[in-house]
Amino acid sequence: MVKKRTAQETTTIGEPVTIEYPVASDDSIRRNLEQIKMEDGVIGYIMRNAVSAAIDLSDPAKMIDYALLSSSAFDASEELSSFLDLGELKSIIVETKNVKVLSLNLKDTKISVFAEKNADFNRFLKKLTS
Amino acid sequence: MDNEVYSFALKTTLSEIQNICPEIKNAFIFKEDGEIIATDPQTSENIAVRVIDAFDGIFEKADSLGDVEGITIEGAKGRILISSINELYFATIASEKAEPNYVKTVTKVLLPTIFKLLEKLDPAQQEKPVGHSLEPREHNQYPHFDNKKSLSEEPEEPEEPEEKQNAVDQMKPTFEPEVNASLPEATANQFIVENIGGLLVPSDTVRVDNDLMSNWTETYGNTKIEEVEIETFGGKTVQCKVRPIKDSKYEGKGIVQIPEKIQLLLEVKKGELIKVKPVIQ
């Protein structure tokens, strides 16, 4: 029997975008991310693992930019972690002129939280790792 | 102010930062285009190049979101910090014992102060190239690195003050075309290994910058260079055909594209430094 996976996609011009692919098993991570998204200055998050992906961003125009930045941050950290023997990756923070990104790997799920520069990333990190 | 004095001042500053924070294992300064401005005495070219290369993707992808101002990678056994200072980037690689706020305070106070001081002493210095770049230079000024430099990641012994000046003198580029009729001896340039593959890619041909090939042709009596000799720092040597790089995204990056077969012969892989010398026939 062939299983069909359905993608629920809601896209409206000018409104936040949420893309989900079911079969996610990281309920606690999702709950934490949803709470973080309610904080001031938070633009959204990207969460992905081997079988699921979730994107929730209030700025859909830059979705691809955020996704690419998140991906390149993970790639760079994996390479350097191995080359420089940094050990298990705890977090990656990339700060640009307009946005700050916190990326980390939790239970084999790659998470990136995007927010304005003055957002409290330490609190986000504690919440996600608690 | 002389470029070498400027570079020496920055190297000394980095060395002193390590003295203040012994947990900092490596420190170097670079530009966004990959040009290395200064490194501390314990940091080899290989480490700096690999780190810059790894972050290249982040710098590129972050363009649309504003310039990168900082990157922090936190691991269980160490961390990397990249800070933007005066249009340059300062990289530190530290152990897990380093206090991040302390490191940031030292670097965000000390380095800008040094830069301001150097700028006051010679405002024109800001526009002059300082470090050795991975990009092609004008008029055959490719850097000729000291062959004694090892790819090993083991820290080098700190130099004595009188030896530092000698080291600064040795940094002067030695690759210059001769004016007289006799051809200059072929000299080797260092490059970073990059992969190349595909169905139609010959496995016995490496690719280098088109500018470099033109440079060689001009330097060696308008002789078209068909082959190069590739030497690793481990002593392995291979002679093979050479062609210019086709993909423009690799131009000016200081890389040589080497097929897997030749990489296996040389026992090298992507990201490692090797020497390339033209074969003059």
Side-chain angles (χ1 to χ4, degrees), chain B residues 105-130:
Chain B
T105 303
V106 168
T107 56
K108 284 190 180 292
V109 169
L110 190 59
L111 275 175
T113 306
I114 296 294
F115 283 127
K116 277 183 189 166
L117 181 64
L118 291 171
E119 193 181 332
K120 287 269 184 212
L121 291 172
D122 188 1
Q125 183 57 50
Q126 294 300 312
E127 297 175 7
K128 291 179 191 172
V130 176

Side-chain angles (χ1 to χ4, degrees), chain A residues 82-99:
Chain A
S82 165
F83 175 61
L84 297 170
D85 193 25
L86 298 179
E88 189 186 339
L89 187 66
K90 286 184 180 177
S91 67
I92 311 160
I93 294 180
V94 178
E95 191 172 340
T96 73
K97 196 174 171 184
N98 304 319
V99 74

Side-chain angles (χ1 to χ4, degrees), chain A residues 74-125:
Chain A
F74 278 111
D75 288 344
S77 63
E78 280 164 14
E79 183 180 340
L80 291 173
S81 179
S82 165
F83 175 61
L84 297 170
D85 193 25
L86 298 179
E88 189 186 339
L89 187 66
K90 286 184 180 177
S91 67
I92 311 160
I93 294 180
V94 178
E95 191 172 340
T96 73
K97 196 174 171 184
N98 304 319
V99 74
K100 207 164 164 181
V101 187
L102 165 66
S103 300
L104 64 158
N105 203 323
L106 274 179
K107 305 175 190 174
D108 292 329
T109 300
K110 291 182 179 175
I111 301 161
S112 289
V113 176
F114 303 86
E116 290 166 11
K117 289 174 62 173
N118 55 0
D120 189 350
F121 278 77
N122 283 332
R123 199 164 78 217
F124 302 160
L125 188 58

Side-chain angles (χ1 to χ4, degrees), chain A residues 62 65-66 68-69 72-73 76-77 79-80 83-99 117, chain B residues 46-47 50-51 54-55 57-58 61-62 64-80 93 153:
Chain A
K62 293 188 178 167
D65 295 330
Y66 289 142
L68 288 173
L69 182 60
S72 60
S77 63
E79 183 180 340
L80 291 173
F83 175 61
L84 297 170
D85 193 25
L86 298 179
E88 189 186 339
L89 187 66
K90 286 184 180 177
S91 67
I92 311 160
I93 294 180
V94 178
E95 191 172 340
T96 73
K97 196 174 171 184
N98 304 319
V99 74
K117 289 174 62 173
Chain B
N46 185 36
I47 292 176
R50 284 288 294 268
V51 172
F55 282 122
I58 295 181
K61 306 296 187 297
S64 56
L65 300 170
D67 290 335
V68 171
E69 294 187 346
I71 303 172
T72 305
I73 296 179
E74 187 91 26
K77 297 198 284 183
R79 60 174 63 90
I80 304 174
I93 301 162
E153 295 175 18

Side-chain angles (χ1 to χ4, degrees), chain B residues 267-280:
Chain B
E267 294 180 6
V268 295
K269 56 181 193 273
K270 177 181 172 176
E272 292 187 13
L273 276 173
I274 44 94
K275 290 180 277 189
V276 178
K277 187 166 71 176
V279 174
I280 305 162

